[in-house]
Amino acid sequence: MIYQDRPIGQKAAKERFKRKQGKDKVGETTITNLLQQFRDTLVEIEDQKKQNRQIMLKQQAMMIQQSQEKQELDMIEKKNKL
């Protein structure tokens, strides 16, 4: 009988475990990169939304100003007709 310090196949099991951990690390890195890209994309989308809101507010302000000017012109025309 041969005396061994560890069960047969222990070394192979350790090697499989090491390889699996290496693959998980690559997978984790890939997942981490994808999550970071997703976060970056969300930040870009939020920035674009803010810019769009600002543009819309400026356009609304211009439209309000134009309507007020038109009302003033209409009032002036009515006064001139009288």
Side-chain angles (χ1 to χ4, degrees):
M1 176 179 239
I2 301 174
Y3 178 74
Q4 292 182 345
D5 291 336
R6 61 181 189 268
I8 297 174
Q10 186 71 19
K11 187 174 182 179
K14 283 184 179 181
E15 287 297 319
R16 281 192 300 250
F17 182 73
K18 285 181 184 178
R19 277 190 239 126
K20 184 179 177 188
Q21 280 184 331
K23 288 180 183 178
D24 289 344
K25 288 181 183 176
V26 170
E28 287 174 11
T29 303
T30 303
I31 291 171
T32 304
N33 289 340
L34 288 174
L35 286 174
Q36 186 60 42
Q37 288 175 355
F38 181 70
R39 287 184 194 120
D40 293 343
T41 303
L42 286 177
V43 168
E44 289 176 14
I45 290 171
E46 288 299 317
D47 289 343
Q48 186 64 39
K49 283 182 181 180
K50 286 179 185 178
Q51 290 176 356
N52 289 344
R53 283 188 206 121
Q54 290 175 349
I55 291 170
M56 287 178 56
L57 289 173
K58 287 179 183 178
Q59 288 176 344
Q60 287 176 347
M62 288 176 60
M63 288 176 62
I64 291 170
Q65 184 180 3
Q66 287 175 351
S67 67
Q68 288 174 346
E69 289 173 356
K70 184 179 178 186
Q71 286 177 352
E72 289 175 7
L73 287 174
D74 288 344
M75 289 177 70
I76 291 171
E77 285 179 4
K78 284 181 183 179
K79 286 181 182 178
N80 288 339
K81 284 183 180 180
L82 295 175

